[in-house]
Amino acid sequence: MSVLTKKAILIELEKGKEGEDGKGLIITPLEVNQIGPSSVDLHLGNEFIVFRRASITNIDVSDAEKVMRNVHKYQEKVRISKKDNFILHPGQLVLGATQEYVALPKDISATICGRSTWGRTGLIIATATQIAVSFKGCITLELVNNGEIPLVLYPGLRVAQLLLYKTEGECSFESSYQFQTGPEFPKLDKENKYLNLRIKKEQ
């Protein structure tokens, strides 16, 4: 795989404007100044999933049905206005999402990572950084304050950058998180199915 430079990114974006299914790159909304030498800056959206202490003692995917039934006890989705701020405390994990909607073609994958400025404050923006070919949606951000003092975040801040890779060969992508327009609760029931299949194979 090779990283797309600014020139190649602009070419792929032009292909995306042509509207042919599975061809070209779409990132919207997008301004030209977001495109760097080999990456695209992305903004923080205004929806968050906040984790909170609850009466449940753990999250166990082997009992995912129970976990999903009680998800409201330990996770809450909040939306703030674009003029408000969100305070991320040290050690806190919050799910956010990019303001931009991204549609990757069948021959481009991506990774998302933090921008250097925010990394120096202790902000981690993603723990699951790989984005598969043909992904479509706003990208979920796993926001963690790894610093010592609270960070004040605002919708519209450029907190992330997208690195795009040309893949060898084409493939399709299927995911329960496809077409998301904001952060989504983790679908632990899917992991439970994989776990059960693995256990059956080992028996």
Side-chain angles (χ1 to χ4, degrees), residues 63-141:
D63 195 7
E65 186 177 324
K66 178 182 177 182
V67 174
M68 296 307 295
R69 189 170 59 246
N70 294 304
V71 68
H72 64 280
K73 292 183 178 179
Y74 63 92
Q75 292 183 356
E76 177 187 9
K77 183 176 284 191
V78 297
R79 179 194 292 261
I80 65 175
S81 76
K82 294 181 179 180
K83 294 181 180 179
D84 288 335
N85 62 55
F86 187 92
I87 298 177
L88 188 65
H89 293 277
Q92 185 180 15
L93 166 67
V94 168
L95 299 184
T98 60
Q99 195 176 79
E100 292 81 4
Y101 185 93
V102 176
L104 299 180
K106 295 178 180 179
D107 59 350
I108 291 179
S109 66
T111 56
I112 190 164
C113 57
R115 297 180 68 237
S116 176
T117 298
W118 285 104
R120 294 163 200 247
T121 69
L123 178 66
I124 298 171
I125 62 96
T127 54
T129 60
Q130 180 65 33
I131 305 165
V133 296
S134 299
F135 169 85
K136 294 177 176 63
C138 294
I139 301 169
T140 294
L141 304 174

Side-chain angles (χ1 to χ4, degrees), residues 3-65:
V3 179
L4 270 62
T5 60
K6 183 173 184 176
K7 183 178 179 180
I9 292 170
L10 290 170
I11 290 172
E12 292 297 332
L13 287 168
E14 282 301 317
K15 290 181 185 177
K17 290 179 182 178
E18 295 172 4
E20 188 177 347
D21 187 39
K23 301 289 185 181
L25 171 68
I26 297 172
I27 302 175
T28 184
L30 179 68
E31 297 179 2
V32 175
N33 63 11
Q34 289 176 239
I35 306 173
S38 59
S39 65
V40 180
D41 287 343
L42 299 179
H43 300 86
L44 180 65
N46 66 330
E47 286 188 355
F48 303 89
I49 292 177
V50 180
F51 293 75
R52 56 191 180 191
R53 296 186 184 276
S55 57
I56 61 171
T57 57
N58 54 58
I59 297 175
D60 185 352
V61 296
S62 68
D63 195 7
E65 186 177 324

Side-chain angles (χ1 to χ4, degrees), residues 182-194:
E184 292 193 10
F185 296 104
K187 294 179 171 59
L188 296 172
D189 52 330
K190 302 290 183 182
E191 297 303 316
N192 177 265
K193 289 179 182 178
Y194 296 136

